[in-house]
Amino acid sequence: MRLLKTQTTVAKDTLDTTVFLEGLAGTGKTTAAIERVKQLLRDGIAADSILILVPQATLAAPYKDALRRARVENGANVRTATMGSLAYQMIDLFWPIIAEDVGVADPLDRPHFLSLELVQYYMTRFIEPEIVKQDYFNSVSVTRNRLYTQIVDNLNKAALVGFPYDTFGDRLKSAWTGDSAQAYVYDDAQACANLFRQMCRQYNLLDFSFQMEIFANHLWRLAQARRYLTDQYRHLIVDNIEEESPTTHGILADWL
């Protein structure tokens, strides 16, 4: 592939330089980043010291494909990850050190990582009886699954933006401009989210929001956990950074 002069400059810039690329979609930022990874490998940088971080796993495909085709040693060993997958790995590795601080009922038990399907299952099992008992959402006509999806979405956004999960109800009410009588729906959603998190702590269940909270608020602040990442990955390639969350931006700023 014939590169532009600016792409060549990015690829061959000195290793102690931090490079920031900005441009419209299709202008060649990812291509330049791929070439920089190749150049790092050609210069003898160990593949396992390079981390390619993307906001969603599908965006790593151009890197994987290019490195698989490239004639560079160990190109296939360069790791691609999302912040969510890093959080999963780090929690699984350092759980015995942080479990007590996280506040789960049984710190000696291993964590159980929940898929979205399992989150829906536990919502139905533990939250639905409380909804019926307390007559929550009595003016809402959407399906239960839709309600659970919204509650999970609020928990996820709280973790990714970086505010306490038990405050999203008040935040939503403060932004509500409709009939004030309907604002209680946000209180119902908050009560259900609090109950879900309580259940997660009781049984060592970690949904995505809980994982991100633990990673940002416990692991990243733990010196040995942070060193594990920063010492291992000396070269970061972060693509589509504008799609990342404030929590991820804060971690990356510290990392750099």
Side-chain angles (χ1 to χ4, degrees):
M1 179 184 294
R2 178 173 296 179
L3 300 178
L4 300 173
K5 182 178 179 180
T6 49
Q7 290 173 318
T8 302
T9 300
V10 169
K12 297 186 177 181
D13 218 337
T14 54
L15 301 185
D16 59 352
T17 299
T18 298
V19 179
F20 178 77
L21 298 183
E22 184 177 20
L24 298 174
T27 52
K29 303 183 299 299
T30 296
T31 298
I34 290 170
E35 292 304 315
R36 184 168 178 85
V37 175
K38 291 180 184 178
Q39 188 62 47
L40 289 171
L41 294 171
R42 294 189 189 104
D43 288 345
I45 300 299
D48 59 5
S49 71
I50 303 171
L51 175 64
I52 300 169
L53 199 65
V54 290
Q56 44 187 306
T58 55
L59 295 176
Y63 291 91
K64 291 180 178 179
D65 292 343
L67 290 173
R68 188 166 52 246
R69 295 193 306 266
R71 296 177 180 177
V72 288
E73 187 175 358
N74 295 326
N77 294 333
V78 175
R79 184 180 179 190
T80 62
T82 64
M83 194 59 74
S85 66
L86 278 184
Y88 178 101
Q89 171 205 350
M90 294 294 288
I91 292 170
D92 192 47
L93 184 61
F94 286 94
W95 180 253
I97 299 177
I98 61 165
E100 191 169 347
D101 292 336
V102 167
V104 293
D106 187 0
L108 298 180
D109 190 18
R110 293 292 300 168
H112 307 287
F113 297 94
L114 300 183
S115 64
L116 184 56
E117 290 76 14
L118 279 175
V119 169
Q120 289 275 1
Y121 166 77
Y122 284 114
M123 282 274 188
T124 302
R125 180 177 175 182
F126 290 99
I127 306 302
E128 186 158 358
E130 192 68 14
I131 291 176
V132 174
K133 179 181 177 181
Q134 301 293 340
D135 197 28
Y136 288 150
F137 307 111
N138 54 26
S139 65
V140 178
S141 58
V142 298
T143 65
R144 287 280 195 267
N145 284 343
R146 179 73 179 276
L147 276 175
Y148 300 150
T149 299
Q150 283 299 123
I151 293 170
V152 170
D153 188 54
N154 286 326
L155 285 168
N156 290 346
K157 286 177 178 175
L160 292 174
V161 175
F163 59 82
Y165 75 91
D166 55 1
T167 65
F168 76 72
D170 288 338
R171 289 169 178 267
L172 289 170
K173 284 195 295 183
S174 69
W176 175 250
T177 58
D179 184 356
S180 59
Q182 292 295 313
Y184 77 89
V185 172
Y186 298 130
D187 291 327
D188 294 349
Q190 184 69 75
C192 290
N194 293 348
L195 184 62
F196 177 69
R197 182 56 61 83
Q198 178 184 340
M199 180 268 298
C200 287
R201 292 184 188 278
Q202 183 177 353
Y203 296 105
N204 288 33
L205 304 177
L206 306 186
D207 66 315
F208 175 78
S209 67
F210 204 4
Q211 292 174 46
M212 290 304 299
E213 281 185 31
I214 292 171
F215 181 60
N217 299 332
H218 295 277
L219 278 172
W220 188 248
R221 298 176 184 179
L222 192 67
Q224 57 264 52
R226 184 187 290 205
R227 281 199 305 269
Y228 177 85
L229 284 176
T230 57
D231 288 353
Q232 179 177 1
Y233 299 115
R234 305 298 296 170
H235 301 275
L236 289 179
I237 306 292
V238 185
D239 207 337
N240 289 274
I241 196 170
E242 75 282 358
E243 297 182 22
E244 291 285 11
S245 67
T247 294
T248 296
H249 286 167
I251 290 172
L252 288 173
D254 291 341
W255 200 328
L256 291 173

